[in-house]
Amino acid sequence: MSLVVEGLSKNYSKNLVALNTISFSAKKGECIGIVGESGSGKSTLGKVLVGLENYKEGTITYNGAPVVPTKRSRLREYRKNVQMIFQDSSSSLNPKLPVWESVLEPLDNFKECSPAFLEGQNLSRKETAEQLLIMVGLDKELAGRYPEELSGGQKQRVSIARALSIEPSLLICDEPTASLDVTVQVQILNLLKDFQKKMDMTILFISHDIRAVTFLCEQIIVLKNGTIQDQFGINELYHKSRHPYTKALIEAASIQ
Ligand SMILES: Nc1ncnc2c1ncn2[C@@H]1O[C@H](COP(=O)(O)OP(=O)(O)OP(=O)(O)O)[C@@H](O)[C@H]1O
Ligand SMILES: [Mg+2]
């Protein structure tokens, strides 16, 4: 897997530059953190990368081929390999569907996928969903419940199970722990870390919390007003060459 983003720009309106010539690349198995204050363009970047938002300029190249929003067959192939977990698990799960049906959405969309966890097994659809719930540490009894009957942490695990079901090579996590209390945040981060290692997945981890980012990622991109301010390896976090804005983020998180 390789993802190369070059000169990506997006405006929501004439005066609102949400992304300004963003360039970076990600290789197989890498975990890249994207941090920045509220409104810096993090979610916009995630949505553009997953094909949910259009962009004005620049290129996104996945495994050597450009991802063009208007080329539907190419986009489908890309989406089969790229999944996103959203900040607000409540709105990303359909309240009218029992959990197990939501979990199966990606596998239903991409029937050609044959993930390793299903190999050699002859499971019904519901059993497949239960297996996925067990994988993310949930009781399979939750399969028949509706989202409103789950806690925030449980919903986020369901979203993770759904995203991992087709074994994406690239997983974009947009503030996956922001709405959770600290102990559950750590559990979810550990879960993501385990899967990242097991599946050798590439993760783009979006967060306003630089501590969460340093826990998971080797590379960090700092965004402000849609512009990359700083970009560095985790070993250089405390280096004197860090941008003042990065230093301020570190200080605010009091991890010095
Ligand atoms: N659909 C939209 N229409 C118009 N403007 C938008 C839209 N979505 C986001 N914006 C604007 O684009 C800018 C970047 O927003 P974005 O949601 O990407 O920020 P963010 O870094 O994810 O913030 P947060 O940490 O609060 O989630 C903000 O100024 C926001 O108001
Ligand atoms: Mg956001």
Side-chain angles (χ1 to χ4, degrees), residues 192-206:
L192 287 171
K193 202 171 199 170
D194 281 354
F195 278 110
Q196 193 236 344
K197 285 205 191 109
K198 246 186 259 170
M199 296 181 174
D200 202 15
M201 207 168 33
T202 307
I203 294 187
L204 289 189
F205 184 81
I206 296 172

Side-chain angles (χ1 to χ4, degrees), residues 100 103-104 107-108 115 117-118 121-135 140 143 161 165:
W100 69 272
V103 167
L104 290 180
L107 281 169
D108 286 343
F117 79 98
L118 286 179
Q121 305 206 52
N122 197 7
L123 302 178
S124 69
R125 290 179 75 245
K126 193 164 180 199
E127 286 166 341
T128 303
E130 288 172 350
Q131 176 116 351
L132 277 160
L133 295 181
I134 292 167
M135 265 168 59
K140 69 175 186 180
S165 64

Side-chain angles (χ1 to χ4, degrees), residues 27-201:
K27 292 198 221 42
K28 187 173 169 61
E30 267 185 339
C31 189
I32 299 187
I34 296 165
V35 270
E37 65 196 20
S38 184
S40 56
K42 306 181 298 296
S43 294
T44 302
L45 179 59
K47 286 182 201 157
V48 167
L49 288 177
V50 88
L52 285 175
E53 283 279 2
N54 243 314
Y55 53 97
K56 192 177 102 193
E57 278 166 18
T59 53
I60 300 171
T61 310
Y62 179 78
N63 289 349
V67 181
V68 184
T70 48
K71 289 212 168 146
R72 301 200 86 192
S73 61
R74 172 77 195 129
L75 199 59
R76 183 180 156 80
E77 186 57 31
Y78 175 68
R79 287 220 172 116
K80 206 167 73 187
N81 292 288
V82 183
Q83 285 287 299
M84 185 156 175
I85 298 170
F86 296 90
Q87 170 172 352
D88 181 7
S89 51
S90 303
S91 62
S92 70
L93 296 175
N94 186 339
K96 296 202 180 97
L97 290 183
V99 160
W100 69 272
E101 289 196 40
S102 282
V103 167
L104 290 180
E105 266 168 7
L107 281 169
D108 286 343
N109 284 339
F110 301 107
K111 290 202 165 49
E112 63 273 38
C113 281
S114 48
F117 79 98
L118 286 179
E119 246 163 53
Q121 305 206 52
N122 197 7
L123 302 178
S124 69
R125 290 179 75 245
K126 193 164 180 199
E127 286 166 341
T128 303
E130 288 172 350
Q131 176 116 351
L132 277 160
L133 295 181
I134 292 167
M135 265 168 59
V136 296
L138 289 174
D139 193 312
K140 69 175 186 180
E141 302 306 321
L142 297 188
R145 290 207 204 159
Y146 287 82
E148 64 178 12
E149 299 166 329
L150 302 182
S151 73
Q154 287 170 333
K155 273 187 274 197
Q156 205 50 293
R157 282 179 195 261
V158 170
S159 303
I160 293 172
R162 179 174 63 177
L164 294 179
S165 64
I166 54 170
E167 295 186 336
S169 37
L170 173 64
L171 180 67
I172 301 177
C173 307
D174 186 3
E175 310 246 18
T177 61
S179 57
L180 308 173
D181 71 49
V182 177
T183 39
V184 184
Q185 279 187 21
V186 173
Q187 290 168 8
I188 298 285
L189 289 177
N190 276 316
L191 189 71
L192 287 171
K193 202 171 199 170
D194 281 354
F195 278 110
Q196 193 236 344
K197 285 205 191 109
K198 246 186 259 170
M199 296 181 174
D200 202 15
M201 207 168 33

